[in-house]
Amino acid sequence: MDDKTAIVARLPIFARLEGRSLEAIATLAQLVSMPAGTVLMGEGEAAESFYVIVTGTVHVTRNGEFVRSMSDGGFLGEIALVEERTHTATVTCTTACEFVQLGHHEFGRVMDRFPDVRTRVEAAAARRPF
């Protein structure tokens, strides 16, 4: 198992997948690092990617108001991609962060090929206040 596949395997959203599935997702994904203070996505901006936090903490704000913090294992950007609309919140890295990133096209492929992941993403999107 290569390093990127091992990182994907540690993330709760992908936890139930078998090795070949984890490898497929790792092939589609990119690992990206962002310094503290980086705005990962802005409320009202077009959706381009889905992010899973590998390490670090982000703050989520909506209409300028703090909504919540998210850290290792949390995921972001799914609402805009699933519902095909702009981002519903602004996400800012409060610490240095590392993410598994899936672009719009790659996210669609994961959602189509892995129903277990789709179910978890859609359930989270339905529960989120943002």
Side-chain angles (χ1 to χ4, degrees), residues 11-17 25 49-52 68 70 73-84 102 106-112 114-128 130:
L11 299 169
I13 189 166
F14 305 122
R16 295 184 191 143
L17 299 177
I25 290 170
S49 296
F50 172 75
Y51 296 91
V52 184
R68 69 185 287 192
M70 297 178 75
F75 53 88
L76 309 145
E78 78 285 352
I79 294 172
L81 292 171
V82 168
E83 297 180 4
E84 297 182 4
L102 292 166
E106 292 79 10
F107 176 75
R109 288 183 62 191
V110 168
M111 294 289 280
D112 288 344
F114 304 103
D116 188 48
V117 173
R118 174 184 279 283
T119 299
R120 284 185 243 168
V121 166
E122 289 175 344
R127 291 191 304 270
R128 296 236 168 125
F130 52 91

Side-chain angles (χ1 to χ4, degrees), residues 54-90:
V54 177
T55 60
T57 302
V58 300
H59 279 184
V60 179
T61 59
R62 188 169 191 186
N63 299 319
E65 299 290 323
F66 176 78
V67 175
R68 69 185 287 192
S69 292
M70 297 178 75
S71 60
D72 303 10
F75 53 88
L76 309 145
E78 78 285 352
I79 294 172
L81 292 171
V82 168
E83 297 180 4
E84 297 182 4
R85 60 182 184 152
T86 59
H87 288 296
T88 60
T90 297

